[in-house]
Amino acid sequence: MKFKSLVLFFLLFCLEAESNSWNCNKVDSDTYNCIQKFSDGSTVNYRGQTKNEKPYGNGILKFDQNSGTNKMVGEFGEKEGNVWLINGQTFFRDGTITTRLNGKVNSFKYPNGSSY
């Protein structure tokens, strides 16, 4: 059940994010601070590399307090026009950590120590 919820979260994030644009400001030669605001008032913040004013490359994506996800860390890319974590980890507020390799979730680590 938890796996289905995580998959649903990723699909909803990508669908909702598709209709909104990123506002990015350059920090140094290849680092940007970006923010995306949604119609419900929630925000997503990104710090890292970009391409076409979207998160792309290495960075950290942080979610606001209303999200079940705390942050995503790693290499971002584009999938069907949406920002996607290609290689890295997702840290959920409940302590669950998922790891992605080549765009696919390959492991879950739960707060109780069990892994999938």
Side-chain angles (χ1 to χ4, degrees):
M1 181 66 172
K2 195 170 218 172
F3 177 74
K4 289 180 183 177
S5 297
L6 293 173
V7 170
L8 180 60
F9 164 78
F10 286 114
L11 291 175
L12 289 174
F13 171 72
C14 289
L15 292 174
E16 186 175 4
E18 184 175 17
S19 64
N20 295 284
S21 62
W22 289 90
N23 180 8
C24 296
N25 297 304
K26 193 172 191 174
V27 175
D28 61 37
S29 62
D30 67 344
T31 303
Y32 288 79
N33 282 331
C34 303
I35 188 167
Q36 186 173 51
K37 294 181 181 181
F38 297 94
S39 57
D40 67 357
S42 62
T43 60
V44 177
N45 292 283
Y46 174 80
R47 182 176 177 95
Q49 298 170 323
T50 64
K51 180 178 178 181
N52 299 325
E53 297 193 26
K54 287 184 181 179
Y56 193 96
N58 292 313
I60 300 172
L61 191 76
K62 292 185 179 181
F63 296 82
D64 68 12
Q65 296 293 339
N66 296 327
S67 173
T69 304
N70 186 27
K71 65 183 175 182
M72 295 177 167
V73 178
E75 177 190 357
F76 293 86
E78 187 175 326
K79 183 176 180 180
E80 298 175 10
N82 298 306
V83 173
W84 198 258
L85 181 63
I86 305 299
N87 296 304
Q89 293 183 306
T90 301
F91 298 85
F92 293 88
R93 295 203 191 281
D94 70 358
T96 302
I97 301 170
T98 63
T99 301
R100 283 184 174 266
L101 290 175
N102 300 315
K104 296 179 182 178
V105 175
N106 75 335
S107 70
F108 288 86
K109 184 176 179 184
Y110 297 103
N112 67 6
S114 64
S115 297
Y116 168 75

